[in-house]
Amino acid sequence: MASGRVEVERVFVGAGCNRIVNNVSWGPSGLVAFGAQTAVAIFCPKSAQILTTLPGHKAMVNCTYWLPSCKDAFKVEHVESHFLLSGSADGAILLWGLQIRERKWSKAFQVPEVHKKSVTCLTGILISQSVALFASASSDGIVCLWEVIIPSNFDDDCKITLLESLSVGPKPMVALSLAGLPGDLGHVILAMGGLDNKIHIYSGDKMGNLVPACQLRGHTDWIRSLDFSIPIWSDNENNSLFLVSASQDRTIRIWKMALHVSSANAEVSYRKGDAGLTSYIEGPIFQVGPTAYQVSLESLLVGHEDWVYSVQWQPPLPSKNGNIYHQPMSILSASMDKKMMIWRPEKTTGIWINEVTVGELSHSALGFYGGHWALEGDSILAHGYGGSFHLWKNMGIEYENWEPQRVPSGHFAGVSDIAWSRSGEYLLSVSHDQTSRIFAPWRSKTYIGDKITWHEIARPQVHGHDINCVAIIKGKGNHRFVSGADEKVARVFEAPLSFLKTLNHAILEDTSNFGDINEHVQILGANMSALGLSQKPIYVNASNETSRVLHKDEEDSLETIPDAVPVVLTEPPVEEQLGWHTLWPESHKLYGHGNELFALCCDHKGKLLASSCKAQSASVAEIWLWEVGSWKAVGRLQSHSLTVTQLQFSCDDSFLLAVSRDRQFSVFSITKPGDIVNYQLVVKHEAHKRIIWACAWSPFGHEFATGSRDKTVKIWAIQDASSVKQLATLPPFRDSVTALSWTGCDRSKNSGILAIGMDNGLIELWSLSGGRVPDGQTELGPFRAELAVRFDLFVCHVSTVHRLVWRRNPDASDSKAMQLASCGADHCVRVFEVVCDM
């Protein structure tokens, strides 16, 4: 994107996966789609990077599905366009087009609204290169069958027609699978399962006309996943079809549907419909047109120790001559027991056994919501309860050897605050998912060649409360930060030796050079306490014997949890390492506030920290000042009557700006002669008609900006250190202004860029110039503000922008290149490259 003298490029997106069963889909294009709050995110497993997010939904995205799927890809090997379906919690279904070669996305196409409640599952089948069918299930008890006419021109809209709408009663369906019947090109079969513990089989044709065929019983709890194979060939005929089902009863069942030759139509009629488990020895039979099919229970798979949420057949593979595709007898299952298993029939007996087991060993993980095959069948992907992905690739040649691979990661709840490290090496974020995370560009050429890619390299805090705010401690010394959560205590964390060495590996070409690492740091890492609040240090010289004695004493305690094993990472870590072994030790607690912490900031010299909490009275709305190092409270600033929403020190640390829910801003003068901190309220002003959410100081002088729910941004200047003058009011914005950040371009012209984030997720950059030169004497003419660039919807957030932060890009040869980081309620952390020529 470019506008005049400002260019913007997306560098990084970090986001976690919505914690819902059918949320992820791995397409034949090699891309993985998943829901991240109300957006559909797309990531590439090869690069472990999120490529884009697709805006359009207004509610949480529950399910995604590619057309064609990996199962149908062999039918249309050379098509240039693939399509993606997504369903959300408000009943909406959207269809997206992807031009594979250019990776260009079409605008979202709205499927006619039929569902009144949350869409829980999507499935589809490709009939031809231009026609597809898909089915959708909703918690309103409706299952719909749709026809999609795919246009020959990518820019044209698809034509979508509702073929059939089935009401399944008060117990909705949560699992669907659609397939073509073997030996019958004109008919399809739809399997659905849900809360009544039964699998319902419907048969129909390409125009819908679904009729009940039979019900399959055997599971004793909810059906969570269903998947048809492609037709199986026998005696040169595709005369059978397999269906695999998974349930909360911890079992997996494989059902076989074979062509049944019988002239006794009466017998077919008699045995059609319901059948108990004992009947499967002979098998229920259902009729579709002139053809009869017999269902039998092929196998019962027992191995998982918790609910089985997902089962999937391996995608078809080509035969040796490459002309015919066959169905591999291989099933992938994923369970809440933190395991994925690959099941195959034993070669001699034909008995299905578990041949491969992979899983997440971290005690902090709570299991998998789904498992997915890559098109080639050499990689498997799981998504878990913690919003995380887990990828394994078969690296073996003569035997299977499944090794964990890098995947993108991020928060699985709204990201409340972000901060750059003091030198800009990494970005720290905190979230309502109760974690803090560090994202950094991994510059080591031994890992990525010449290209720099971003990854999560540490998870310094895993907490028991939602984290609302964070501040990096600037100045000299070790890396430190302070976080504030839904508790009355602010917590101080200090980087352990393992992180410092990992950071060196990430940012230096010569990883043997640890000159910047403080040798006096004697803490290697941290352990999580039993209640998930404090994080205890692990010392470099700690005795292993002491650790063993401690665990022996606590052997019978319910609070005993395993020790972390801090390690120096030489390449970007996988989820198991992040979730437990990259914690930072907590060094101090700051007590004083009466309610939950809401805002934090540190001055530029690293001497003072300011904090505020949620408040509905003047006494609770005090701003506390803390001395960095001693961590003593050195001031309590009173001005506001409601929550102070943001705090920021001026560029020379002589003023502290506070904005509040009471629609006012306050400016305090701050001086520190010796060890004493003096503060005084300079001005308090009612600046907006609604809540003031954001503020930002000019990087050159004593001008500042305020942004409000009233959709306005106002620019102010401090005059004579005792009064405030309004310089400008920007034109009204489309939505509430929730985030501001101001960076400088040319000090002599007092020019800079103001980044503005809004409640609808949009971001705009405004160029500001004029007024007074920072020396306070020279006038540059009237203050000017003009729109520099409005970010494209495909790179913006899809809901509230919570914070924007600038930094100079250390990797850029051009001194005019900067990076802007943003975070929002859409679970995303984003980094943009901005080049300004002003």
Side-chain angles (χ1 to χ4, degrees):
M1 294 176 295
S3 178
R5 296 164 292 175
V6 178
E7 296 181 359
V8 178
E9 179 185 357
R10 178 182 53 220
V11 174
F12 169 72
V13 180
C17 179
N18 291 343
R19 300 187 292 172
I20 305 169
V21 176
N22 297 307
N23 190 35
V24 177
S25 180
W26 197 342
S29 62
L31 302 181
V32 176
F34 67 95
Q37 209 232 16
T38 62
V40 178
I42 308 296
F43 88 79
C44 176
K46 291 182 179 179
S47 64
Q49 298 290 299
I50 295 176
L51 303 180
T52 189
T53 52
L54 308 177
H57 283 288
K58 298 177 182 178
M60 187 79 73
V61 175
N62 286 344
C63 47
T64 59
Y65 194 86
W66 286 95
L67 285 175
S69 64
C70 287
K71 192 189 306 180
D72 287 333
F74 71 95
K75 300 178 183 177
V76 284
E77 291 184 82
H78 305 295
V79 293
E80 297 181 355
S81 303
H82 287 187
F83 294 85
L84 176 65
L85 291 159
S86 59
S88 60
D90 60 358
I93 301 174
L94 299 182
L95 180 69
W96 317 80
L98 169 65
Q99 206 165 28
I100 298 171
R101 185 171 300 175
E102 300 178 12
R103 287 192 174 171
K104 174 187 173 185
W105 289 89
S106 70
K107 63 180 181 180
F109 182 81
Q110 175 78 52
V111 175
E113 294 187 16
V114 174
H115 296 297
K116 305 302 180 186
K117 293 184 180 180
S118 179
V119 179
T120 56
C121 186
L122 294 166
T123 186
I125 182 175
L126 212 60
I127 302 299
S128 67
Q129 191 163 328
S130 59
V131 179
L133 299 180
F134 76 90
S136 59
S138 169
S139 53
D140 60 7
I142 301 295
V143 175
C144 295
L145 183 66
W146 308 82
E147 180 188 57
V148 182
I149 305 297
I150 300 170
S152 56
N153 187 354
F154 177 77
D155 295 323
D156 294 340
D157 288 339
C158 293
K159 181 181 178 182
I160 300 179
T161 307
L162 176 63
L163 299 180
E164 192 87 24
S165 179
L166 301 173
S167 177
V168 296
K171 294 185 176 181
M173 298 293 119
V174 295
L176 298 173
S177 187
L178 193 62
L181 280 166
D184 190 336
L185 299 177
H187 287 87
V188 295
I189 185 169
L190 174 65
M192 59 181 76
L195 280 58
D196 63 358
N197 309 345
K198 294 181 287 188
I199 301 170
H200 302 261
I201 305 296
Y202 284 77
S203 63
D205 56 32
K206 296 176 183 178
M207 300 306 297
N209 302 318
L210 295 175
V211 294
C214 67
Q215 294 179 1
L216 307 180
R217 297 185 177 183
H219 287 295
T220 58
D221 208 333
W222 292 5
I223 311 294
R224 297 312 302 242
S225 182
L226 296 166
D227 191 35
F228 277 113
S229 68
I230 64 170
I232 306 297
W233 288 72
S234 176
D235 298 328
N236 295 323
E237 294 182 3
N238 53 344
N239 56 12
S240 61
L241 189 69
F242 284 96
L243 171 69
V244 61
S245 61
S247 168
Q248 290 181 184
D249 65 10
R250 307 181 183 184
T251 67
I252 300 165
R253 291 171 181 261
I254 304 173
W255 314 84
K256 183 178 181 180
M257 300 178 184
L259 286 171
H260 180 73
V261 180
S262 173
S263 58
N265 290 333
E267 181 185 349
V268 171
S269 176
Y270 173 76
R271 290 170 55 192
K272 176 183 173 183
D274 283 12
L277 181 60
T278 54
S279 300
Y280 291 147
I281 298 171
E282 298 179 348
I285 299 173
F286 63 90
Q287 190 94 20
V288 180
T291 311
Y293 298 88
Q294 179 175 338
V295 183
S296 59
L297 182 64
E298 175 77 6
S299 187
L300 172 64
L301 310 182
V302 180
H304 285 294
E305 299 170 351
D306 208 333
W307 295 356
V308 185
Y309 268 137
S310 168
V311 282
Q312 192 177 86
W313 287 97
Q314 182 178 337
L317 293 176
S319 57
K320 292 181 180 180
N321 58 21
N323 296 325
I324 300 175
Y325 281 75
H326 69 278
Q327 175 65 63
M329 289 288 100
S330 186
I331 293 171
L332 175 67
S333 63
S335 166
M336 285 300 283
D337 65 4
K338 308 178 192 177
K339 297 187 187 76
M340 283 205 301
M341 296 181 177
I342 298 177
W343 305 82
R344 299 187 182 106
E346 208 269 332
K347 291 182 179 179
T348 55
T349 63
I351 297 173
W352 285 78
I353 59 172
N354 166 29
E355 288 195 350
V356 176
T357 300
V358 296
E360 171 60 67
L361 301 179
S362 169
H363 84 283
S364 59
L366 290 178
F368 295 147
Y369 275 133
H372 309 272
W373 289 98
L375 178 65
E376 298 81 9
D378 61 348
S379 298
I380 52 177
L381 176 74
H383 63 105
Y385 182 84
S388 57
F389 289 105
H390 309 261
L391 177 65
W392 288 268
K393 184 178 179 67
N394 183 13
M395 308 298 288
I397 300 175
E398 296 181 357
Y399 59 91
E400 289 185 278
N401 178 25
W402 294 85
E403 295 287 344
Q405 305 293 306
R406 291 177 302 276
V407 287
S409 61
H411 295 283
F412 58 89
V415 187
S416 47
D417 203 357
I418 50 175
W420 288 106
S421 65
R422 60 195 177 197
S423 301
E425 307 101 323
Y426 58 83
L427 181 68
L428 173 67
S429 63
V430 296
S431 165
H432 291 164
D433 69 4
Q434 305 184 349
T435 67
S436 65
R437 302 175 189 238
I438 290 177
F439 300 95
W442 198 277
R443 300 184 180 91
S444 172
K445 290 188 177 181
T446 58
Y447 160 60
I448 40 128
D450 293 328
K451 187 177 180 182
I452 296 172
T453 56
W454 282 69
H455 301 273
E456 183 181 350
I457 65 168
R459 203 165 295 170
Q461 185 183 8
V462 178
H463 203 38
H465 296 288
D466 294 1
I467 308 176
N468 299 322
C469 50
V470 70
I472 293 279
I473 303 300
K474 300 172 184 176
K476 297 180 180 179
N478 193 8
H479 296 261
R480 291 173 292 177
F481 74 88
V482 183
S483 69
D486 277 345
E487 55 179 346
K488 303 174 184 179
V489 185
R491 298 174 185 269
V492 184
F493 296 86
E494 186 166 340
L497 191 60
S498 59
F499 172 78
L500 297 176
K501 292 185 177 181
T502 295
L503 187 62
N504 248 34
H505 277 287
I507 67 176
L508 296 179
E509 295 180 14
D510 180 10
T511 56
S512 64
N513 178 14
F514 294 115
D516 293 334
I517 295 180
N518 298 315
E519 294 183 0
H520 67 271
V521 176
Q522 294 298 308
I523 296 175
L524 185 62
N527 270 320
M528 175 64 70
S529 68
L531 296 179
L533 296 176
S534 297
Q535 294 171 193
K536 309 297 183 183
I538 300 173
Y539 292 95
V540 174
N541 298 320
S543 168
N544 293 329
E545 185 64 31
T546 303
S547 178
R548 286 196 294 269
V549 171
L550 179 64
H551 281 283
K552 185 176 180 181
D553 293 340
E554 295 180 350
E555 191 170 13
D556 297 326
S557 170
L558 292 174
E559 295 185 355
T560 302
I561 53 177
D563 275 342
V565 183
V567 292
V568 178
L569 302 168
T570 57
E571 61 181 31
V574 294
E575 178 66 25
E576 185 177 350
Q577 295 168 310
L578 285 169
W580 190 239
H581 303 305
T582 59
L583 295 173
W584 288 21
E586 180 183 313
S587 59
H588 294 86
K589 295 181 179 70
L590 309 184
Y591 294 94
H593 285 290
N595 283 331
E596 299 91 338
L597 272 291
F598 196 85
L600 289 165
C601 76
C602 180
D603 67 0
H604 297 82
K605 298 173 185 174
K607 303 293 185 183
L608 285 178
L609 178 79
S611 62
S612 70
C613 70
K614 297 178 182 178
Q616 293 187 352
S617 65
S619 60
V620 182
E622 290 178 324
I623 299 165
W624 285 58
L625 292 180
W626 311 84
E627 185 180 53
V628 173
S630 69
W631 300 111
K632 294 179 180 178
V634 293
R636 296 169 67 174
L637 286 57
Q638 294 184 342
S639 176
H640 296 283
S641 58
L642 294 174
T643 304
V644 173
T645 55
Q646 190 174 359
L647 297 158
Q648 195 167 31
F649 285 94
S650 61
C651 60
D652 59 1
D653 293 334
S654 59
F655 294 103
L656 174 64
L657 172 63
V659 294
S660 169
R661 296 178 69 97
D662 63 10
R663 309 174 185 180
Q664 302 181 85
F665 68 75
S666 299
V667 179
F668 298 87
S669 65
I670 306 290
T671 57
K672 199 173 186 293
D675 296 332
I676 302 172
V677 177
N678 296 325
Y679 52 88
Q680 182 180 357
L681 178 63
V682 173
V683 66
K684 178 181 177 181
H685 185 70
E686 185 164 346
H688 292 270
K689 298 178 182 178
R690 304 291 297 277
I691 293 171
I692 306 177
W693 283 122
C695 62
W697 282 99
S698 164
F700 296 141
H702 291 157
E703 297 93 7
F704 61 89
T706 56
S708 167
R709 183 180 281 177
D710 64 10
K711 304 180 182 181
T712 64
V713 171
K714 297 181 180 180
I715 313 297
W716 313 81
I718 296 178
Q719 292 185 320
D720 305 323
S722 60
S723 63
V724 170
K725 174 186 177 182
Q726 183 175 341
L727 298 179
T729 299
L730 302 190
F733 291 88
R734 301 180 185 181
D735 209 338
S736 303
V737 176
T738 54
L740 295 173
S741 187
W742 196 336
T743 189
C745 291
D746 189 336
R747 190 179 186 90
S748 64
K749 299 178 181 178
N750 197 28
S751 65
I753 298 178
L754 181 66
I756 301 172
M758 287 168 263
D759 200 34
N760 56 11
L762 299 182
I763 299 174
E764 295 183 3
L765 301 184
W766 285 69
S767 62
L768 307 179
S769 61
R772 283 187 179 181
V773 170
D775 61 16
Q777 304 299 322
T778 309
E779 286 285 347
L780 295 173
F783 188 87
R784 297 184 300 277
E786 60 181 3
L787 177 64
V789 65
R790 181 175 289 131
F791 284 25
D792 187 88
L793 287 174
F794 281 84
V795 303
C796 285
H797 294 272
V798 294
S799 52
T800 308
V801 180
H802 284 152
R803 193 73 74 227
L804 294 165
V805 193
W806 289 98
R807 75 150 183 176
R808 292 285 171 183
N809 183 8
D811 299 311
S813 57
D814 187 352
S815 62
K816 298 176 181 178
M818 297 169 288
Q819 287 189 330
L820 175 66
S822 67
C823 69
D826 61 355
H827 310 178
C828 288
V829 173
R830 298 169 186 262
V831 178
F832 305 94
E833 184 88 14
V834 180
V835 179
C836 73
D837 184 14
M838 301 179 68

